Amino acid sequence: MLSGKTDQELKELSIKTGNACVGFNLRRTARLLGRLYDEAFEPLGLKGTQFSLLMAVAGNKDATIGELAQPLGMERSTLSRNIVVLQKKGLVTVEEGEDRRQQKISITEQGIFVLQEALPLWERIQERLIGELGVERINNLLEDLQSLSQGTKEK
Amino acid sequence: MLSGKTDQELKELSIKTGNACVGFNLRRTARLLGRLYDEAFEPLGLKGTQFSLLMAVAGNKDATIGELAQPLGMERSTLSRNIVVLQKKGLVTVEEGEDRRQQKISITEQGIFVLQEALPLWERIQERLIGELGVERINNLLEDLQSLSQGTKEK
DNA sequence: CCTTAATATAAGTATATACATATATTAATT
DNA sequence: AATTAATATATGTATATACTTATATTAAGG
């Protein structure tokens, strides 16, 4: 029963769950690293999230919202809005598919140019993170994140 | 030079950076797990993010926005808004400090009650994730996330 | 063919997030 | 003491995110 707990006990519970909670630690690290990426891409007028999405568009020619959302682990409604942001920047085009419910997303020449400029900035962060944890721990981390992502998809 | 790349080459680059990018994988996993937590806490009208924040408030009696923001790795302006959400739900109180610029945040009785209800739901997810990766990989993951969080703060 | 069901995306609403700027308050300088 | 600098929080603006609902389009059943 928490209601009877002293401040000290509450404090210990808070620290314990904070240290152990996968969700919290994921979000916190994502926030902190997110600012790193945003800062790096800032000269290109790009956010880290936008770099990832643009890269996904580049690698999936003429994909629809639904097709992109799947590997990104993102709601289609979310993706729909994120695509508009890239479209307004002139980095992607959106056009009706043969099935007129669908929207085919493609990267523009300008989008490819921006990716080209962004790539070395991305690599610099990658190197920095590898420098901090070492390549093995980074690779383990990436594998674990991918396993967890897989795991949530299977009900 | 990306501009000259074929679709196939772009596709391979996209897959390679997608698999290697720490930021992207963090965000994707955070999104997917976030939905798991949100679903679990839904009966309490709570999101995963709100559970973590409420737990942090519980463990830091009379902390200010600034004091809370630090360990959460969150901008004070963000935290300021997130606290309002908990306040409107009646889970925390906000009152002026002796230094009248500051706001002292405290958990309410109702907040403690909600935490109490949430705790077993949180543990169920924790067990599920440990069941998927094993306790060692989960602990490694948590350590790595904490190291990365530390790393971004320096410099 | 027409109605109904299924599907794809967008729009409505709410929260999470950050940066820049505004506001209020305290501390420091002269 | 009065002015200036520093600090704490809130607000403006924009993006990211998800759930629910609306809209448009295609597919299925009769």
Side-chain angles (χ1 to χ4, degrees), chain B residues 27 31 35 64-66 76-77 80-81 101-103:
Chain B
R27 282 193 307 275
R31 275 196 296 272
R35 289 189 245 172
T64 65
I65 299 279
R76 286 171 301 178
S77 61
S80 176
R81 287 185 158 109
R101 290 170 297 185
Q102 298 181 334
Q103 302 287 320

Side-chain angles (χ1 to χ4, degrees), chain A residues 32-47:
Chain A
L32 291 166
L33 286 197
R35 290 189 244 171
L36 222 64
Y37 286 95
D38 288 353
E39 184 182 9
F41 294 136
E42 192 273 332
L44 302 175
L46 212 63
K47 304 251 186 186

Side-chain angles (χ1 to χ4, degrees), chain A:
Chain A
M1 176 102 77
L2 278 182
S3 331
K5 283 208 185 319
T6 65
D7 290 351
Q8 180 60 24
E9 286 167 330
L10 262 186
K11 190 182 191 69
E12 281 162 14
L13 178 65
S14 172
I15 291 173
K16 193 162 74 83
T17 57
N19 283 333
C21 182
V22 179
F24 168 64
N25 281 276
L26 274 176
R27 281 193 309 274
R28 179 174 54 182
T29 310
R31 276 196 296 272
L32 291 166
L33 286 197
R35 290 189 244 171
L36 222 64
Y37 286 95
D38 288 353
E39 184 182 9
F41 294 136
E42 192 273 332
L44 302 175
L46 212 63
K47 304 251 186 186
T49 50
Q50 296 165 0
F51 168 78
S52 297
L53 178 51
L54 190 56
M55 192 58 92
V57 170
N60 293 274
K61 201 171 165 51
D62 281 331
T64 64
I65 299 277
E67 288 163 352
L68 280 172
Q70 225 290 314
L72 294 172
M74 194 178 284
E75 280 296 310
R76 286 172 302 178
S77 62
T78 301
L79 184 53
S80 176
R81 287 188 157 109
N82 294 354
I83 284 292
V84 171
V85 176
L86 294 186
Q87 186 186 23
K88 283 196 289 195
K89 289 179 192 283
L91 306 179
V92 306
T93 57
V94 179
E95 47 187 337
E96 223 173 42
E98 314 90 63
D99 182 334
R100 280 165 32 219
R101 289 170 300 185
Q102 297 181 335
Q103 301 287 322
K104 302 285 194 180
I105 318 295
S106 303
I107 192 166
T108 63
E109 276 303 312
Q110 193 191 340
I112 292 179
F113 174 77
V114 167
L115 269 190
Q116 178 180 327
E117 300 288 307
L119 210 48
L121 306 176
W122 175 79
E123 277 163 356
R124 205 167 306 165
I125 295 184
Q126 193 73 5
E127 291 308 319
R128 170 176 170 178
L129 299 179
I130 289 173
E132 276 169 19
L133 281 200
V135 70
E136 298 204 7
R137 280 175 75 183
I138 290 287
N139 284 337
N140 277 340
L141 172 63
L142 290 168
E143 278 175 34
D144 290 347
L145 292 176
Q146 283 157 23
S147 294
L148 285 177
S149 295
Q150 273 314 108
T152 57
K153 284 170 188 166
E154 302 146 12
K155 177 67 183 57

